[in-house]
C-alpha cells in the first residue's frame, strides 16, 4: 500500500485544532506533526488552506434493505462509494431478521451483502420480533460476532412494533450482555389510528404521512423509552430525533446523569414539513420518511441541542428510493416507501448549514459526524480520531470549494435528492479510507470489497465511554 502524506492542512479533532501534516502508512495514522517529509515513493496530497477531519462515521444507514415490497436503491457498494465521495469512511448498518427468523441467519445474509462495501462497516441488529430464541442468539451476536447494538421499535404496528413488556425484556438482555439498546421512538398505536382516520376522511396524499405522525407521538415514545432504560439501568441510543420535545427529553435525562445518546439527521435541521404540502407527488413523496420533517421551530430546538450537547450524533438514516419506487404510494400515503438518501451529503451539508452559519464550531462538527458515534458504538479511537495508530480514515475539506448538490451529479443510486439545489461553499475534496485514496478531487475510486467488517466488543458493566 502506498504511503500518503496529507500536507499543510489544519487538523481538526473534537478536542481542538492544529496545523499539522498527517502521514498514513499501511492504513494507519503514523504521524501527525508539522513539517513531515514524505517517505520515498509516498503520494503527497496538498491540503494548504484546507481542514483535515477524521473520516465520517455514519451510525445509521440502510443499504440494500428489503422494505415495503421493494428493496432500497443503494446496495452496499453504491451506497458506501457515495459515502466516500462525501468524506464518510465508516457506516453502521442494520441487519434485519424477517418475523420469526433467527437473528444469526439474518446476520449471515447481511454480511454477505455488506462484503461488497468499499469502506469499513459494522452492523447493528434490528429486534424485529421478540422471543426466547432472539434473546438466546443475542449472546453469540455480542460475544462472538461483533454485533453489540440492538434497535427496538415502538412504531410500525403489526410489523416491527414491540410492547413495553418486550422492550423491558430486550433492554434487560442488552444490559446482561453489555450491549447498547437503540430505539426508533414513535407511538405506533396512535399513528395507526390517525392513519385510518385520515384515509377515511379522504386524505390520501403525502401530507397525510406527516399528519399521522405528530411530534407528540415521537415525544411520548422517546420519554417512555428513556423511562424504561432508566428503570432497567441501561444506556439508550435514540435514533433520528426530529421533534423538539424528544430532543428536550433526551437533554433533560442527560442533565440528570442518565446515559442517553440522541442522534439527529442533517435533513431535520434544514428541511421543514411544508415539503409535504407540495402538489408535486414525486417531490412530496421523496421526503416521506419516519419520523417526518417538522415545522421550523423544531429545527431551532435541534440546532440548540446539537450545540449544547443535548444531542450527540448525526446519522443519515440513508434509505434511498427512486421516484418510481415512491409512486407505489400514489393514492395512499401509507404505501409510500419510507426513507430518504443522504449518506453522501452529511459532512458537506453540516459544514454549510452549521459551521458556515456559526451554529457549531468545526470541532463540534467532528464530534457530531465521527467521534461521538465512534464512542457510542465502541469504535473509538480506531475510528473518529486522527491519533497516531488510528485507522487512516480522513476527509480533506476545502472551505472555499463551491458545489451545488443535485440528484444529477450525486453518486447515490437514485434520481431524487432532498438537498436538490443546495449551493455549498466548502466541500470534501479528498477522502482516505484506511489509507486508500478513494476520493481524489471529484474522482471516485471505489473498489467493491475493500471495506472491512468492524467486529465490535461489548461494553463493560458501567458502559464507560459510551458517551460523556
Ligand atoms: O423512514 C425511515 N426512517 N426509513 C428507514 C427505516 C427506519 O425507520 O429507520
Ligand atoms: Zn427508524
Ligand atoms: Zn433507519
Amino acid at each position: 500500500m502506498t504511503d500518503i502524506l496529507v500536507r499543510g492542512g489544519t487538523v481538526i479533532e473534537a478536542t481542538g485544532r492544529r496545523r499539522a501534516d498527517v502521514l498514513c502508512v499501511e492504513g494507519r495514522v503514523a504521524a501527525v506533526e508539522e513539517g513531515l517529509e514524505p517517505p520515498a515513493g509516498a503520494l503527497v496530497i496538498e491540503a494548504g488552506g484546507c481542514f483535515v477531519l477524521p473520516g465520517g462515521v455514519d451510525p445509521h444507514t440502510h443499504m440494500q434493505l428489503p422494505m415495503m415490497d421493494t428493496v432500497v436503491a443503494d446496495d452496499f457498494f453504491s451506497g458506501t462509494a457515495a459515502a466516500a465521495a462525501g468524506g464518510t469512511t465508516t457506516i453502521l448498518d442494520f441487519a434485519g431478521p424477517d418475523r420469526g427468523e433467527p437473528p444469526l441467519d439474518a446476520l449471515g445474509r447481511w454480511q454477505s451483502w455488506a462484503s461488497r462495501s468499499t469502506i469499513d462497516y459494522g452492523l447493528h441488529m434490528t429486534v424485529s420480533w421478540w422471543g426466547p430464541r432472539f434473546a438466546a442468539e443475542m449472546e453469540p451476536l455480542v460475544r462472538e460476532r461483533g454485533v453489540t447494538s440492538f434497535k427496538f421499535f415502538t412504531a410500525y404496528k403489526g410489523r416491527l412494533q414491540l410492547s413495553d413488556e418486550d422492550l423491558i425484556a430486550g433492554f434487560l438482555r442488552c444490559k446482561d450482555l453489555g450491549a447498547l439498546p437503540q430505539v426508533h421512538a414513535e407511538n405506533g398505536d396512535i399513528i395507526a389510528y390517525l392513519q385510518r382516520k385520515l384515509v377515511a376522511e379522504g386524505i390520501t396524499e403525502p401530507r397525510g404521512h406527516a399528519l399521522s405522525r405528530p411530534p407528540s407521538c415521537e415525544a411520548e415514545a422517546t420519554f417512555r423509552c428513556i423511562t424504561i432504560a432508566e428503570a432497567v439501568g441501561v444506556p439508550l441510543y435514540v435514533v433520528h430525533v426530529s421533534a423538539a420535545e424528544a430532543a428536550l427529553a433526551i437533554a433533560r435525562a442527560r442533565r440528570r446523569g442518565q446515559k442517553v445518546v440522541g442522534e439527529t439527521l442533517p435533513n431535520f435541521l434544514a428541511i421543514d414539513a411544508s415539503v409535504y404540502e407540495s402538489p408535486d407527488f414525486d417531490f412530496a413523496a421523496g421526503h416521506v420518511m419516519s419520523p417526518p420533517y417538522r415545522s421550523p421551530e423544531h429545527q431551532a430546538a435541534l440546532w440548540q441541542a446539537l450545540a449544547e450537547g443535548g444531542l450527540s450524533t448525526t446519522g443519515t438514516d440513508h434509505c434511498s428510493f427512486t421516484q418510481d419506487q415512491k409512486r407505489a404510494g400514489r393514492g395512499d400515503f401509507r404505501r409510500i416507501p419510507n426513507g430518504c438518501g443522504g449518506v453522501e451529503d452529511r459532512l458537506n451539508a453540516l459544514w454549510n448549514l452549521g459551521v458556515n452559519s456559526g451554529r457549531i464550531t468545526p470541532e463540534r462538527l467532528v464530534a457530531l459526524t465521527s467521534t461521538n458515534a465512534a464512542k457510542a458504538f465502541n469504535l473509538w479511537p480506531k475510528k473518529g480520531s486522527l491519533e497516531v495508530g488510528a485507522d487512516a480514515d480522513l476527509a480533506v475539506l476545502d472551505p472555499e470549494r463551491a458545489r451545488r448538490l443535485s440528484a444529477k451529479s450525486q453518486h447515490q443510486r437514485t434520481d431524487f435528492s432532498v438537498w436538490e439545489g443546495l449551493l455549498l461553499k466548502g466541500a470534501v475534496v479528498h477522502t482516505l479510507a484506511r489509507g486508500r485514496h478513494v476520493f481524489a478531487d471529484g474522482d471516485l475510486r471505489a473498489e467493491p470489497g475493500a471495506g472491512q467488517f468492524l467486529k465490535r466488543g461489548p461494553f463493560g458493566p458501567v458502559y464507560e465511554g459510551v458517551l460523556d
Side-chain angles (χ1 to χ4, degrees):
M1 179 181 269
T2 310
D3 296 346
I4 300 181
L5 182 67
V6 181
R7 186 159 67 185
T10 299
V11 172
I12 314 269
E13 296 245 44
T15 46
R17 69 179 80 179
R18 59 189 162 134
R19 290 294 299 274
D21 305 334
V22 182
L23 178 63
C24 305
V25 176
E26 291 300 325
R28 297 268 176 85
V29 176
V32 186
E33 284 166 43
E34 255 186 300
L36 289 172
E37 285 301 323
L43 169 76
V44 177
I45 298 174
E46 297 295 353
C50 295
F51 296 104
V52 181
L53 323 173
V57 176
D58 188 336
H60 188 160
T61 66
H62 301 280
M63 307 303 175
Q64 219 158 322
L65 177 71
M67 196 211 222
M68 293 172 90
D69 302 326
T70 184
V71 177
V72 302
D74 275 304
D75 62 20
F76 276 89
F77 177 58
S78 68
T80 56
T88 286
T89 50
T90 300
I91 60 161
L92 292 167
D93 206 274
F94 294 83
D98 296 332
R99 216 175 174 75
E101 183 189 21
L104 283 167
D105 292 0
L107 179 66
R109 194 160 70 251
W110 253 266
Q111 280 185 315
S112 75
W113 294 338
S115 64
R116 295 188 68 246
S117 296
T118 194
I119 59 172
D120 290 354
Y121 58 96
L123 290 169
H124 314 287
M125 180 61 63
T126 295
V127 185
S128 30
W129 58 279
W130 185 249
R133 173 117 195 226
F134 205 109
E137 289 199 1
M138 282 171 70
E139 181 164 347
L141 285 168
V142 172
R143 301 226 164 111
E144 296 158 25
R145 306 295 294 272
V147 176
T148 58
S149 38
F150 293 85
K151 184 167 69 167
F152 298 77
F153 283 82
T154 63
Y156 300 128
K157 189 173 170 59
R159 284 197 292 137
L160 296 165
Q161 183 177 331
L162 296 178
S163 67
D164 287 1
E165 190 181 359
D166 290 345
L167 292 177
I168 293 167
F171 285 17
L172 273 168
R173 186 70 178 137
C174 286
K175 185 184 174 185
D176 287 346
L177 295 165
L180 181 64
Q182 299 167 269
V183 67
H184 170 135
E186 292 182 287
N187 184 312
D189 285 283
I190 299 178
I191 291 166
Y193 159 70
L194 289 175
Q195 286 179 334
R196 281 195 307 276
K197 180 170 177 285
L198 286 159
V199 170
E201 287 166 358
I203 297 174
T204 56
E205 59 282 16
R207 72 192 172 99
H209 176 75
L211 293 173
S212 66
R213 309 182 93 96
S216 54
C217 280
E218 185 185 338
E220 182 280 325
T222 303
F223 187 70
R224 179 159 37 103
C225 291
I226 290 172
T227 309
I228 294 173
E230 185 179 29
V232 165
V234 71
L236 180 68
Y237 185 97
V238 185
V239 302
H240 53 39
V241 174
S242 75
E245 299 86 342
L248 203 63
I250 295 166
R252 284 203 182 114
R254 287 173 64 78
R255 279 202 294 276
R256 287 197 314 268
Q258 199 180 336
K259 278 187 192 269
V260 183
V261 181
E263 165 198 280
T264 192
L265 321 181
N267 326 15
F268 289 153
L269 297 163
I271 298 167
D272 69 63
S274 62
V275 290
Y276 301 118
E277 301 297 329
S278 171
D280 175 351
F281 175 87
D282 289 336
F283 180 79
H287 289 88
V288 164
M289 64 173 296
S290 300
Y293 298 90
R294 306 293 188 192
S295 55
E297 63 272 20
H298 293 272
Q299 293 165 8
L302 296 179
W303 276 117
Q304 191 178 343
L306 279 182
E308 293 175 357
L311 293 172
S312 311
T313 64
T314 57
T316 57
D317 197 3
H318 182 84
C319 189
S320 57
F321 295 100
T322 62
Q323 298 185 70
D324 195 46
Q325 286 178 297
K326 292 269 185 179
R327 286 179 196 140
R330 266 193 196 285
D332 185 346
F333 67 81
R334 295 170 299 183
R335 301 189 62 76
I336 301 171
N338 280 209
C340 297
V343 74
E344 184 170 354
D345 307 315
R346 184 179 59 133
L347 260 74
N348 289 331
L350 265 183
W351 184 276
N352 278 265
L353 301 165
V355 176
N356 287 352
S357 67
R359 288 177 173 120
I360 53 171
T361 62
E363 287 81 358
R364 185 71 185 147
L365 173 128
V366 168
L368 294 168
T369 55
S370 65
T371 309
N372 288 354
K375 287 184 174 174
F377 295 108
N378 223 356
L379 290 168
W380 187 83
K382 179 181 160 76
K383 303 293 186 189
S385 110
L386 287 175
E387 279 179 18
V388 171
D391 284 354
D393 290 342
L394 61 82
V396 177
L397 188 144
D398 179 350
E400 298 303 325
R401 181 63 59 98
R403 189 187 304 161
R404 196 178 285 282
L405 297 181
S406 170
K408 290 198 176 66
S409 52
Q410 71 189 357
H411 299 88
Q412 302 168 123
R413 200 190 276 163
T414 148
D415 51 2
F416 187 80
S417 169
V418 296
W419 297 113
E420 190 66 46
L422 181 70
L423 182 61
L424 302 179
K425 181 170 182 276
V428 170
V429 289
H430 293 278
T431 306
L432 301 196
R434 239 179 336 89
R436 287 167 295 111
H437 194 193
V438 284
F439 184 64
D441 214 359
D443 179 16
L444 182 59
R445 303 152 171 189
E447 265 172 69
Q452 288 180 0
F453 176 61
L454 298 167
K455 203 169 166 183
R456 295 175 292 128
F459 291 98
V462 293
Y463 286 83
E464 202 176 326
V466 159
L467 254 202
D468 340 313

